[in-house]
Amino acid sequence: MTAVAGAEVTALPGSPFPLGATLRDGGANFAVASGVADGMVLCLFDEGGAETQVPLRDYDAGVWHGFLPGIRAGQAYGYRAAGPYDPARGVRCNPAKLLLDPYARAVSGSVTFGPDVLGYAADHPDLPGDADSAASVPRSLVLAGGTFRWRDAAHVRHRFSDTIIYELHVKGFTMRHPGIPPELRGTYAGLGHDAALAHLVDLGVTAVELLPVHESVPESFLVARGLDNYWGYNTIGYFAPHQGYSAAVRAGKPGGQVDEFKAMVDALHAAGLEILLDVVFNHTAESNHLGPTLCYRGLDNPAYYRLEPDDPRCYADTTGCGNSLNAGDPLTLQLIMDSLRYWLTEMRVDGFRFDLATTLGRQDGRFDQVSAFFDLVSQDPVVSRAKLIAEPWDVGQMDSYDLGRFPPRWREWNGKYRDTMRDFWRSHPVGLREFATRFCGSSDLYAGERRRPTASVNLITVHDGFTLRDLVSYNDKHNEANGEANRDGTTDNRSWNCGAEGPATDPAILTLRERQSRAMLSTLLLSFGVPMLLGGDELGRTQQGNNNAYCQDNEIAWVDWSQTDTELQDFTRRLIAFRKQHPVFRRRRFLAGAEASELCWYTPSGSAMTAGDWSDPSALATAFYLDGSDAPDRAADGTPLLDDDFLVLVNGWWEPLEFTIGDCRPGLAWRAEIDTFDPAVAQPAPVLRVGDRVTVGPRSVLVLRGPRVSPAPESP
């Protein structure tokens, strides 16, 4: 059955479980939660947009539900919630507003901003607005489950120690790729295309972290400027793949985004890649108390959102986006956990990066690592096994920066690593102890909680901020295109333009920028922990100095595949292959920097570092020795992961520096493997031994390998 305007439709008694619209027994069960509504109306829409209203008369334990025979896949629907509109108590029911199903598996249509999508009267925010919003809001879609045919190929799962994350935007990565057919560019199908997969596989990364793919809508102020929320951090549907990234939807197939997303996941898995989703469970697209009423606000405002205790009209905002989800309420917690399980089991992704994850730990207002959300995750037999990565901060609270405080199962974006390495490579005096601690996995943050170096997701650049090319090309942000007079975006970039702001033609400046990029990439991919590479950094991608391109759905933010730095791409590929080949750089246990017996640190003169050397804030050069046979990690079959020995020489000065090879292990012969100053290392490289001297270029890394010689077999 498809809804027909004016037809008499009566809901039969249904089931309060599962929430959402579920096809079964020749019809569909509809179930939606609200503990404050006095009545709930299911609204069915035909292809012409005409509406048929069906009251749901059954209510059990906070859930309104009903069964409608004859409903088929593709049916468009929404809800209207009748009940009190009393902002002073935090309740905002208004049956004039058509609401999305929080559990909708797909969404069709967009928001047209205007007075009709506001729940309140334009001249009096404490009174309900009577304008009907149905013509200005999207619809939920009924979908059939279990129709996609997955491949039988084994799904590769990588240990965190073997993981190399590549953060990308589905649209931005594929929109300008010449090898992807035009009709697939900017879509899930484009990312699953052989041309996109070939780049990822050739580069050697093991996981893609997708910027938000949940259904989202832009903020009204962006639409007024002719812009869009390109990044997608403005979620409205936590079960629905964003329709804007679907070639099927573009071709006129509403709901086609679901199977298209699955096909993308299937293709990525077949290529040996894991899929991590950047999820936004900290706020929704409904903004502050003056924002639109699209879903959660109209269903059960106090359950879904944290309200100000002294004035429930307003939202507690720890996100900077107008509202914060109420992670202390059972209804919201159920929504989050059901969504996570759905994406893991039905959509088969491998894990999540939680945007502003500190907000999820604010059950009672303050951050707590034993909050209800973290407890539920640790007990859930599905979610607890996924890769879980936190952005360990939120906005504007005394305890907003919670790096190192997340539960043991979690990994964290390491902001201290980012800041230290950016400062070090622009020759700022961060101190060698700080450099060593970050390089070795940040034991100060994680070892005390008996976590591993892989708790640290190491990053130099991410979507939020400069690209790597811009980090070495701009001292200041250039966000004029965002329409906020360059006031948006951080001013704390820790960047250096190498002598000229923006594009340059001076060969010396260009060469310096290339060397700076190689030095930072080498540090990232040789450090203990989980490295994360920003998509396009290996190609020299620029955003023209824009460090907050969240609203630039255009060539500013899209990867330009016609302007790629092939030498940097080749160097990055070599680095990734080098890391994969040598387990000594992927240690799963701590070597605690200066105090580690397994890791020896030397001054450029070849002598062991002393307490005075470590405490010298101006020092910018050191060498460290990695013993490939000292207490190695073990492979899955118990085999020791033995490796060669390595000596890494780091020169953060702006002048070349002579290093003397220290007495790391008697008899070792060293050869250069990686030189960020001059990546064209001649092979075979000259042999270096104890006491020999070697010059390390300014602001560069030289990696020397000392192969282990297998003992000769004994005579019979």
Side-chain angles (χ1 to χ4, degrees):
M1 180 188 87
T2 300
V4 178
E8 187 73 25
V9 181
T10 301
L12 303 176
S15 169
F17 180 84
L19 292 171
T22 307
L23 288 174
R24 62 174 177 82
D25 303 329
N29 188 80
F30 293 87
V32 62
S34 174
V36 298
D38 295 332
M40 190 68 62
V41 175
L42 170 66
C43 305
L44 306 176
F45 294 88
D46 65 16
E47 292 182 357
E51 177 180 351
T52 298
Q53 296 190 354
V54 185
L56 298 181
R57 306 188 185 282
D58 291 280
Y59 178 80
D60 291 297
V63 178
W64 298 87
H65 56 90
F67 179 80
L68 270 68
I71 295 293
R72 296 194 295 266
Q75 175 67 59
Y77 71 101
Y79 292 105
R80 297 180 186 272
Y85 185 88
D86 188 356
R89 294 193 298 116
V91 183
R92 295 177 177 270
C93 296
N94 184 343
K97 309 305 166 184
L98 183 71
L99 307 174
L100 285 169
D101 182 353
Y103 280 70
R105 268 42 174 183
V107 173
S108 179
S110 58
V111 176
T112 301
F113 289 101
D116 52 333
V117 301
L118 303 177
Y120 55 88
D123 57 348
H124 201 314
D126 278 351
L127 297 178
D130 57 7
D132 194 300
S133 68
S136 301
V137 296
R139 313 284 190 252
S140 307
L141 296 179
V142 177
L143 292 185
T147 60
F148 183 80
R149 299 178 68 87
W150 296 91
R151 305 184 202 191
D152 294 329
H155 180 181
V156 177
R157 299 185 185 275
H158 302 281
R159 289 174 179 249
F160 265 112
S161 57
D162 298 328
T163 296
I164 301 170
I165 300 173
Y166 188 87
E167 188 197 40
L168 64 83
H169 188 286
V170 169
K171 185 174 184 179
F173 185 75
T174 61
M175 194 64 186
R176 304 179 71 184
H177 197 300
I180 298 174
E183 67 273 14
L184 302 184
R185 293 175 189 169
T187 70
Y188 305 120
L191 184 55
H193 189 271
D194 287 346
L197 296 174
H199 178 79
L200 298 169
V201 171
D202 178 67
L203 189 61
V205 296
T206 68
V208 293
E209 182 174 302
L210 307 182
L211 266 70
V213 295
H214 288 163
E215 186 66 38
S216 63
V217 298
E219 295 88 342
S220 59
F221 70 84
L222 288 179
V223 175
R225 294 180 197 158
L227 300 171
D228 197 1
N229 190 315
Y230 166 68
W231 285 348
Y233 289 94
N234 217 38
T235 304
I236 199 62
Y238 290 107
F239 293 79
H242 185 56
Q243 59 189 302
Y245 304 151
S246 172
V249 171
R250 187 189 295 170
K253 300 177 182 177
Q257 61 265 45
V258 177
D259 278 357
E260 184 178 337
F261 185 93
K262 291 179 178 179
M264 176 199 71
V265 170
D266 208 29
L268 287 164
H269 281 167
L273 295 160
E274 292 182 296
I275 300 95
L276 311 176
L277 301 187
D278 194 334
V279 290
V280 190
F281 290 112
N282 55 76
H283 76 282
T284 79
E286 292 185 303
S287 189
N288 62 20
H289 63 290
L290 300 178
T293 295
L294 305 174
C295 181
Y296 314 95
R297 172 178 286 136
L299 287 171
D300 198 330
N301 191 57
Y304 283 115
Y305 295 115
R306 291 180 55 218
L307 308 179
E308 289 287 1
D310 297 334
D311 186 2
R313 292 178 179 83
C314 300
Y315 297 97
D317 182 10
T318 58
T319 68
C321 299
N323 64 62
S324 304
L325 280 179
N326 186 2
D329 189 273
L331 181 60
T332 301
L333 287 170
Q334 181 182 357
L335 173 82
I336 295 172
M337 296 303 298
D338 286 349
S339 171
L340 295 175
R341 279 191 296 270
Y342 173 77
W343 287 93
L344 290 168
T345 58
E346 296 296 323
M347 307 300 266
R348 299 198 181 184
V349 304
D350 302 285
F352 308 95
R353 176 265 187 188
F354 292 79
D355 182 63
L356 301 181
T358 292
T359 294
L360 289 166
R362 295 192 182 280
Q363 179 177 344
D364 299 311
R366 62 182 178 83
F367 175 78
D368 191 341
Q369 67 170 227
V370 293
S371 67
F373 170 71
F374 294 131
D375 281 349
L376 286 173
V377 168
S378 68
Q379 297 171 29
D380 191 278
V382 175
V383 180
S384 64
R385 298 182 183 183
K387 282 184 162 71
L388 304 172
I389 301 172
E391 182 182 38
W393 48 79
D394 57 11
V395 176
Q397 309 300 301
M398 292 293 292
D399 60 348
S400 278
Y401 196 66
D402 291 290
L403 183 61
R405 296 186 60 204
F406 276 70
R409 293 180 187 270
W410 289 71
R411 273 65 183 178
E412 302 174 11
W413 273 21
N414 193 336
K416 287 189 175 182
Y417 180 95
R418 172 200 61 210
D419 295 346
T420 295
M421 296 314 182
R422 285 187 178 193
D423 277 343
F424 181 85
W425 287 115
R426 60 186 184 135
S427 302
H428 278 229
V430 297
L432 292 178
R433 186 182 297 275
E434 173 68 11
F435 174 88
T437 300
R438 301 298 151 233
F439 183 93
C440 294
S442 296
S443 60
D444 60 329
L445 299 174
Y446 305 115
E449 298 295 325
R450 301 180 69 180
R451 297 166 73 182
R452 298 189 175 199
T454 52
S456 176
V457 175
N458 298 328
L459 50 99
I460 301 288
T461 55
V462 293
H463 68 277
D464 188 1
F466 281 147
T467 66
L468 181 63
R469 177 57 54 87
D470 289 354
L471 190 67
V472 300
S473 303
Y474 293 90
N475 284 346
D476 303 301
K477 62 184 180 179
H478 295 269
N479 299 353
E480 290 81 6
N482 295 358
E484 299 181 37
N486 206 35
R487 291 189 299 268
D488 63 303
T490 183
T491 57
D492 183 22
N493 295 294
R494 302 172 192 246
S495 60
W496 178 44
N497 66 18
C498 296
E501 188 73 357
T505 57
D506 185 332
I509 291 175
L510 295 176
T511 298
L512 177 56
R513 289 176 177 177
E514 293 167 359
R515 289 171 176 165
Q516 288 289 95
S517 298
R518 291 193 295 266
M520 285 188 274
L521 284 172
S522 297
T523 306
L524 176 67
L525 287 161
L526 298 179
S527 295
F528 299 171
V530 181
M532 187 174 79
L533 182 67
L534 173 62
D537 272 357
E538 77 282 11
L539 306 173
R541 181 173 76 93
T542 177
Q543 292 181 165
Q544 303 167 35
N546 193 318
N547 76 349
N548 190 34
Y550 80 104
C551 57
Q552 298 299 326
D553 188 4
N554 51 50
E555 294 183 357
I556 290 177
W558 300 340
V559 175
D560 184 358
W561 294 90
S562 70
Q563 300 290 328
T564 60
D565 186 335
T566 55
E567 292 183 357
L568 185 62
Q569 182 180 351
D570 290 343
F571 182 77
T572 308
R573 184 192 301 113
R574 283 176 49 207
L575 276 174
I576 291 174
F578 183 82
R579 180 182 177 90
K580 287 183 171 181
Q581 291 164 4
H582 296 292
V584 74
F585 293 101
R586 308 193 312 272
R587 299 298 293 258
R588 297 198 296 272
R589 59 185 181 79
F590 275 109
L591 306 178
E595 290 73 35
S597 60
E598 300 96 332
L599 196 64
C600 300
W601 295 84
Y602 299 91
T603 67
S605 66
S607 60
M609 293 276 287
T610 66
D613 296 323
W614 284 115
S615 62
D616 182 356
S618 64
L620 288 169
T622 187
F624 51 93
Y625 166 63
L626 287 163
D627 186 335
S629 65
D630 194 344
D633 291 327
R634 294 185 301 159
D637 62 0
T639 305
L641 293 171
L642 298 172
D643 202 350
D644 294 329
D645 290 1
F646 290 89
L647 187 62
V648 181
L649 313 179
V650 179
N651 179 17
W653 295 105
W654 47 88
E655 298 289 345
L657 189 63
E658 189 175 71
F659 281 72
T660 300
I661 304 299
D663 189 9
C664 307
R665 180 183 289 274
L668 273 185
W670 301 99
R671 293 182 188 270
E673 289 279 328
I674 295 172
D675 186 352
T676 66
F677 185 78
D678 181 5
V681 177
Q683 295 296 337
V687 174
L688 298 169
R689 299 186 184 277
V690 175
D692 287 347
R693 297 179 179 181
V694 60
T695 298
V696 180
R699 295 191 177 95
S700 62
V701 178
L702 179 63
V703 180
L704 306 177
R705 181 166 68 97
R708 290 302 181 98
V709 178
S710 300
E714 296 182 4
S715 301

